[in-house]
């Protein structure tokens, strides 16, 4: 699983108020078992023996099962319940090793029983470089490289280095801001700090809305070949040259080929498209803002493609509730 997808899973779980687990498929026995004995019901997770770790097990109709951490059996006493009132809390600290650990549940009895496991994320703590086998001199070379780049015009950066659950370096370099909104240099530059918030800008299109749509597709809740109008009846209107806006597909939005080209400045109160609240912006996007060209003719990077994806995700979430 990619680090970006793992991060997205964590964010979406937090947003939905769900219990957060390192295990993306926490169902045992494995519903996708490939027949290979040494991979059966085995998952990887990060942990460090210096940090206590307690996992939750939701055991449905389980009489007995073998819980294994790094191949070692953890003693667990199961209480038969069809729908458990509360998860079993199991301390696995003594079975951990630094970094990657394996987790599995085998020999579940009876065969119709199953267990959902929740493994928390470790919490990073501060430590020194030598304690994790990294030379402080090497980190100084990193400092020299970044400081040199800042001296040659690179605005600034922040750097966090962590190993074995310990943050061994957290440094800010240069400036967070050097220019005013009008593009002119500031009289006094704004220094970079380790807690400076960065604008991820269009990265969120890839690591948030796109993955959100992919998750809905994977769960069978939509198809990217469907039209937006199928899920958002309010998304309508006739385009120039007679093209019907209701024929625009989710695929067209995801690939930036829906026809949105010129940006609309919702913040400009002198324009004919002006909004200062979410509901008004949504109504403008769905009903008033036209697509200026045929969606089959041009690929263009424009924020409205992402805004439409967000509206679709919100629509599906509300329907779920």
């Amino acid at each position: 699983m990619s680090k970006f997808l793992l991060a997205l899973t964590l964010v979406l779980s937090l947003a939905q108020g769900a219990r957060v687990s390192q295990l993306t498929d926490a169902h045992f026995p494995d519903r996708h078992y490939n027949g290979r004995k040494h991979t059966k019901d085995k998952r990887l997770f990060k942990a460090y023996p210096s940090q206590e770790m307690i996992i939750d097990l939701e055991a449905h109709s389980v009489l007995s099962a073998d819980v294994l951490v790094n191949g070692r059996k953890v003693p667990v006493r199961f209480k038969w319940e069809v729908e458990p009132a509360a998860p079993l809390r199991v301390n696995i600290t003594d079975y951990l090793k630094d970094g990657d650990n394996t987790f599995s549940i085998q020999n579940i009895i009876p065969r119709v029983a199953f267990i959902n496991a929740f493994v928390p994320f470790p919490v990073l703590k501060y430590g020194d470089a030598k304690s994790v086998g990294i030379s402080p001199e090497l980190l100084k070379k990193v400092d020299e490289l970044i400081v040199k780049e800042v001296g040659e015009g690179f605005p600034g950066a922040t750097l966090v280095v962590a190993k074995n659950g310990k943050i061994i370096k957290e440094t800010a370099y240069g400036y967070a801001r050097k220019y005013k909104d009008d593009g002119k240099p500031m009289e006094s530059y704004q220094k970079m700090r380790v807690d400076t918030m960065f604008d991820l800008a269009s990265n969120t299109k890839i690591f948030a809305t796109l993955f959100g749509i992919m998750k809905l597709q994977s769960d069978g809740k939509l198809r990217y070949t469907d039209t937006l109008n199928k899920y958002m009846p309010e998304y309508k209107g006739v385009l120039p040259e007679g093209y019907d806006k209701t024929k625009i597909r989710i695929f067209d939005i995801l690939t930036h080929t829906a026809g949105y080209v010129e940006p609309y400045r919702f913040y400009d109160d002198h324009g004919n498209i002006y909004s200062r609240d979410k509901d008004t912006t949504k109504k403008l996007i769905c009903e008033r803002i036209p697509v200026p060209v045929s969606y089959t003719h041009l690929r263009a990077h424009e924020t409205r493609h992402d805004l439409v994806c967000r509206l679709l995700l919100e629509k599906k979430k509300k329907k779920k509730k």
Side-chain angles (χ1 to χ4, degrees), residues 137-208:
E137 296 302 317
L138 180 61
L139 297 179
K140 287 182 181 179
K141 290 183 179 180
V142 175
D143 285 334
E144 293 170 0
L145 173 64
I146 299 178
V147 169
K148 180 176 180 291
E149 292 295 322
V150 171
E152 293 177 355
F154 189 81
T158 60
L159 173 68
V160 174
V161 180
K163 185 179 180 183
N164 293 350
K166 295 181 180 179
I167 297 174
I168 60 173
K169 183 173 181 60
E170 187 176 28
T171 311
Y173 308 86
Y175 305 96
R177 188 175 186 187
K178 298 174 67 175
Y179 298 92
K180 301 176 183 178
D181 291 340
D182 60 6
K184 296 179 181 179
M186 299 173 66
E187 291 78 12
S188 178
Y189 296 160
Q190 181 180 328
K191 295 281 290 185
M192 185 72 76
R193 307 187 318 182
V194 293
D195 61 351
T196 296
M197 297 291 289
F198 285 79
D199 180 9
L200 295 179
S202 290
N203 282 312
T204 55
K205 297 174 184 175
I206 302 171
F207 304 131

Side-chain angles (χ1 to χ4, degrees), residues 41-103:
D41 285 340
K42 188 180 291 185
R43 310 286 192 277
L44 279 177
F45 67 96
K46 292 283 187 182
Y48 308 97
S50 60
Q51 300 182 30
E52 183 181 57
M53 177 168 282
I54 297 175
I55 64 172
D56 288 347
L57 302 177
E58 288 184 352
H60 297 257
S61 304
V62 177
L63 292 175
S64 66
D66 294 334
V67 178
L68 303 169
V69 175
N70 294 319
R72 298 168 59 194
K73 187 174 178 180
V74 181
V76 180
R77 180 176 293 179
F78 291 95
K79 178 183 178 182
W80 189 87
E81 293 178 292
V82 177
E83 291 294 332
L88 289 171
R89 309 216 74 203
V90 182
N91 192 321
I92 62 171
T93 308
D94 293 340
Y95 301 82
L96 302 176
K97 61 181 182 180
D98 279 334
D100 289 335
N101 292 256
T102 61
F103 179 87

Side-chain angles (χ1 to χ4, degrees), residues 258-276:
Y260 291 117
V261 181
E262 297 297 328
Y264 277 84
R265 296 178 173 83
F266 297 101
Y267 56 84
D268 185 1
D269 57 3
H270 297 294
N272 59 352
I273 300 294
Y274 173 71
S275 174
R276 278 291 189 270

